[in-house]
Amino acid sequence: MAKAIKITLNPSIPKQAYWSAIFSLFMGVTSLIAAEFTPISLLTPIAHDLNISEGVAGQSITMVGVFAVITSLLLSPLTKTINRKLILLCFSAMVIASNLMVAFAPNYGVMLIGRGLLGICVGGFWSMASAVTLQLAPPKDVPRALSIVYAGVSVATIIALPLSSYLGDLIGWRNVFILSATMGLAALIWQLVSLPSLPAQAGNSFRTMFDLLKQSWVLVGIIGTILSYGGYHVFFSYLRPFLQFNLQLTSTKLTLMLLIFGIANCVGTFIAGLFLGRYFKPTMITVHLLLAIIALSLFFTPHHITSNTVMVVFWGLLFGFIPVGWSTWITRTLADKAELMGGLSVAAIQFSIGLAAAMGGLVFDHFGSGGLFISAASIMLLAILVMKLSFSLYNTITGKPF
C-alpha cells in the first residue's frame, strides 16, 4: 500500500486580500463556463444551421472535455516556472478567440476547432483557480474568496441556459457567441489591471502527481468524481431537447424554465456549504440518491408536465451540491497540493462531462430521453458506492476521521 503523502504548508500567504483580482477571477470563471455550456441551450438552432443532429451538435461539448483533460494534467508540471498571471491572461485571450471562431464557423469542423481551443482554457484555468485564489487572500479571507470565484459557475449557468436561449431566439446563436467573446474581453482587461504577480508554487511535478494517484483513496475519489458529474451531465447536456420536444414547451416557457433551473442551481450552490460543512458524508450520499430517484421518476412519468418541470428544477438545485462537495473533499484531504489535485480534479470532471455528452448523444439519438434517465440513475447509484469506498479508504490509510 502506498505511503501517505507528507502535508506541508504553503509559505506564500498574502497579508491582505486582493479583492479586485478575486472578482476578476469570478468574471473569468463566469465567461469561461458560460462559453463552455452555451451550446446546451442552443443545440437545436446550431444543429439546424450546420445541418447536423442534436446528438452530433452535442459532441462540441465533448471536444471541450477532451482538450480540458489533456491541459489540466500537463499544465502545472510543464509550466512550473512561469508566472501564473501570464498564463491566466493567455487563457482569457484564448476564450475570446474561441468564441469568435464558433460565432463565424462556416462548418462543423471549424466549430470543433474553436471548442477545442476553449477546452485548453477550461482545463488550464480550473486547474489553477483554487491555488491562485489561495495566493490572493490571507487564511481568514480564503473561504469568502473561494465562494466569490466559484459563484461564477452558478452565474454562468443562468447565462448559458435561459439568457442564451432567449438571445438565441432573438438575435441568432452566432451573435450569442459574439456577446460571449465581449464578456471574455472584459474579464481579460480586468485581470490585466488587477492581478498581482503570481509565482508558480513549488513541487508541481509529474512525480508528485503520480504519487497522488498512488493513494488508493485519491484514485477511488477521482473515479467517484467522474461518476458524480457524469450522472448529472448525461441528462443536463440534452436538457433543452427534452424540454422543447418531450414537454413541448413554447419558446417563452422554455426560456422561463431554463431561468428557473439556473436560479435553482445558484440556490443549491449557496446552501450546499451549510450542510456539507457539518454533515459531509451523509449529505453527499443523500444528494446522489435523490438525483437517482428523480431520474427514475422522470422515466416513469414521461408525460406529466407539471411534475416533470418540478423535478427538473429540483435536479438543478441538487447539482449545486456536487461542485462544492468535491471541492470540500480536496480541501479536507490535500489542501497543500491544491494545484496538482486541482489539475487531476479538472481532468476527471472534464473527462466525465465529455464522456457524458458523447454517451448522452448516442443514447438520446437511439433511445430518446427515457434512455438518458435510466443512464443517469444507474451512474448516480454507482457513484454512491464508489464515494463510500473512497471515504472508508481515507479513514483506514490516514487514520483520520473524514
Side-chain angles (χ1 to χ4, degrees), residues 124-136:
F125 189 96
W126 274 118
S127 66
M128 297 190 304
S130 295
V132 167
T133 304
L134 295 176
Q135 291 180 274
L136 295 175

Side-chain angles (χ1 to χ4, degrees), residues 1-7 211 215 217 334 397-400:
M1 187 175 292
K3 186 178 180 180
I5 297 173
K6 181 180 179 181
I7 304 296
D211 285 342
Q215 304 299 306
W217 57 270
L334 289 166
I397 293 172
T398 67
K400 301 176 182 179

Side-chain angles (χ1 to χ4, degrees), residues 52-91:
I52 54 178
S53 70
E54 280 90 351
V56 172
Q59 304 311 315
S60 64
I61 304 170
T62 305
M63 182 62 69
V64 174
V66 169
F67 280 86
V69 168
I70 296 172
T71 304
S72 63
L73 293 175
L74 298 180
L75 181 69
S76 291
L78 294 181
T79 64
K80 54 187 176 182
T81 62
I82 301 177
N83 193 287
R84 270 33 195 163
K85 176 178 179 178
L86 177 61
I87 297 177
L88 287 173
L89 293 176
C90 288
F91 285 145

Side-chain angles (χ1 to χ4, degrees), residues 293-309:
I293 292 173
I294 290 173
L296 289 175
S297 298
L298 287 168
F299 175 78
F300 287 110
T301 58
H303 304 297
H304 294 201
I305 297 179
T306 301
S307 62
N308 277 200
T309 53

Side-chain angles (χ1 to χ4, degrees), residues 345-387:
S345 179
V346 170
I349 292 169
Q350 292 303 319
F351 172 78
S352 175
I353 293 173
L355 182 62
M359 178 179 132
L362 293 174
V363 172
F364 184 74
D365 283 346
H366 289 85
F367 302 103
S369 59
L372 295 179
F373 299 140
I374 292 296
S375 300
S378 301
I379 296 171
M380 284 299 180
L381 292 175
L382 183 58
I384 293 174
L385 298 178
V386 174
M387 279 190 298

Side-chain angles (χ1 to χ4, degrees), residues 103-263:
F104 295 102
N107 52 57
Y108 184 58
V110 174
M111 179 184 179
L112 286 183
I113 294 174
R115 297 293 290 173
L117 187 63
L118 181 68
I120 295 175
C121 303
V122 170
F125 189 96
W126 274 118
S127 66
M128 297 190 304
S130 295
V132 167
T133 304
L134 295 176
Q135 291 180 274
L136 295 175
K140 67 181 180 66
D141 292 322
V142 166
R144 181 183 175 192
L146 286 173
S147 68
I148 291 172
V149 173
Y150 282 94
V153 178
S154 297
V155 175
T157 301
I158 296 177
I159 293 175
L161 292 177
L163 185 57
S164 292
S165 177
Y166 173 75
L167 291 176
D169 292 334
L170 191 66
I171 62 177
W173 69 269
R174 293 182 183 273
N175 286 318
V176 172
F177 281 96
I178 293 177
L179 290 177
S180 185
T182 303
M183 184 166 58
L185 178 61
L188 172 62
I189 295 173
W190 196 348
Q191 290 167 10
L192 179 63
V193 173
S194 65
L195 283 174
S197 177
L198 298 168
Q201 295 179 341
N204 291 336
S205 65
F206 284 111
R207 180 177 180 179
T208 307
M209 181 178 289
F210 289 133
D211 285 342
L212 283 174
L213 292 174
K214 290 178 183 178
Q215 304 299 306
S216 58
W217 57 270
V218 174
L219 186 58
V220 174
I222 289 174
I223 295 173
T225 302
I226 292 173
L227 293 170
S228 181
Y229 278 84
Y232 171 80
H233 281 279
V234 75
F235 169 49
F236 176 70
S237 298
Y238 299 89
L239 177 61
R240 172 166 176 158
F242 169 72
L243 296 176
Q244 185 171 353
F245 299 122
N246 289 66
L247 301 188
Q248 297 182 339
L249 298 184
T250 62
S251 178
T252 301
K253 290 183 178 179
L254 175 62
T255 300
L256 179 61
M257 182 63 190
L258 292 176
L259 174 61
I260 295 173
F261 182 92
I263 293 174

